[in-house]
Amino acid sequence: MKTIMKLKTILTGVFLVIFLLNASAQETEEATLFGDDLKLTGWFVELPFTHAQVIEKNIFMTGISGGVIFNDVVRVGLAGRSFSNKFNRIAIAGVDDGNGGYLRGSEGGLFIEPVIGNNKLVHLTIPIMIGAGYAEVKTKAKYPDEDNEMDHLDIDDQVYFLFKPSVQIEVNLHKNIRFGAGVGYRFTSDNQLEGVDNDLSGFSSNVSLKIGKF
């Protein structure tokens, strides 16, 4: 009997919650990110400077991003970066000349950045980059190539998938200028570079300067 009473009480509570939720849904307008209308409200060009951990080495990336702004709350565009650690030696299996090698490459893809409190002096953005990258390992020392010219020899190269979410604090320097600084993490597909054991994924930090119509 007690079990039946508990079951009735639970069912009554469930139906009551469903009824209240349904009533609330009918009375309250559904909230969405863009509201009722999707409007193009601006554009931007960004110059980012990024420090990242790639195969456990410090890498500095420079590049450019650009796109459009919808409803003042979401920026959408394309982003590209290039990087090199020529001055940071990598130990490579099979290269025993004492010089090792270095890594260089590039990344690019779709750029999406939700903005929280765009009109406030200091506000939050959530940059997300989804795309691909290319990395190559070359010898740090120069050797004769096929044309008998001295050059850095290719060890291996790889194309990889990239997903990089970040969190950034942004400051309105001017109605057309934004300065930002933040941190993120680069998720990549598995490292398949010959002679290099460490991961291509890693934490990153960045500063950026945006100009545009915000």
Side-chain angles (χ1 to χ4, degrees):
M1 181 63 71
K2 290 183 178 180
T3 302
I4 295 175
M5 290 300 295
K6 288 182 179 180
L7 182 59
K8 287 182 178 180
T9 302
I10 292 172
L11 290 175
T12 301
V14 169
F15 284 122
L16 180 60
V17 170
I18 293 174
F19 173 78
L20 292 175
L21 289 175
N22 184 59
S24 176
Q26 291 178 355
E27 295 174 1
T28 305
E29 183 178 353
E30 182 179 5
T32 63
L33 181 62
F34 295 105
D36 293 333
D37 301 315
L38 182 63
K39 296 179 181 179
L40 182 63
T41 55
W43 57 271
F44 71 94
V45 175
E46 177 187 29
L47 298 176
F49 300 90
T50 302
H51 166 263
Q53 285 284 312
V54 181
I55 58 173
E56 297 185 359
K57 298 292 183 180
N58 293 315
I59 298 288
F60 291 94
M61 301 182 177
T62 58
I64 190 169
S65 304
V68 295
I69 305 170
F70 293 102
N71 293 43
D72 294 325
V73 296
V74 175
R75 301 164 185 164
V76 179
L78 298 175
R81 312 279 189 271
S82 63
F83 61 87
S84 176
N85 76 332
K86 194 172 182 179
F87 302 103
N88 198 343
R89 177 182 176 275
I90 299 174
I92 301 175
V95 179
D96 54 3
D97 61 1
N99 293 308
Y102 71 95
L103 182 73
R104 71 177 186 181
S106 59
E107 298 177 344
L110 177 66
F111 178 83
I112 303 173
E113 185 178 27
V115 184
I116 302 172
N118 182 60
N119 293 324
K120 295 182 178 180
L121 175 63
V122 180
H123 51 270
L124 187 70
T125 74
I126 307 174
I128 300 171
M129 183 176 172
I130 304 173
Y134 171 77
E136 62 177 347
V137 178
K138 303 176 77 71
T139 59
K140 197 169 179 61
K142 292 184 178 181
Y143 299 92
D145 60 14
E146 295 178 354
D147 299 322
N148 206 32
E149 296 181 358
M150 299 299 289
D151 198 3
H152 302 282
L153 301 184
D154 296 331
I155 300 298
D156 199 8
D157 59 5
Q158 175 188 350
V159 175
Y160 55 89
F161 168 78
L162 171 70
F163 173 64
K164 181 191 172 187
S166 304
V167 177
Q168 183 170 263
I169 299 295
E170 194 172 73
V171 181
N172 296 345
L173 299 181
H174 182 270
K175 67 177 183 178
N176 300 119
I177 303 175
R178 304 286 190 266
F179 173 80
V183 295
Y185 194 90
R186 298 170 55 262
F187 294 93
T188 70
S189 50
D190 293 339
N191 173 25
Q192 298 177 353
L193 292 170
E194 181 181 351
V196 179
D197 295 329
N198 296 322
D199 199 351
L200 293 171
S201 301
F203 286 99
S204 66
S205 59
N206 72 280
V207 295
S208 66
L209 189 68
K210 291 187 181 75
I211 59 173
K213 180 181 181 299
F214 298 99

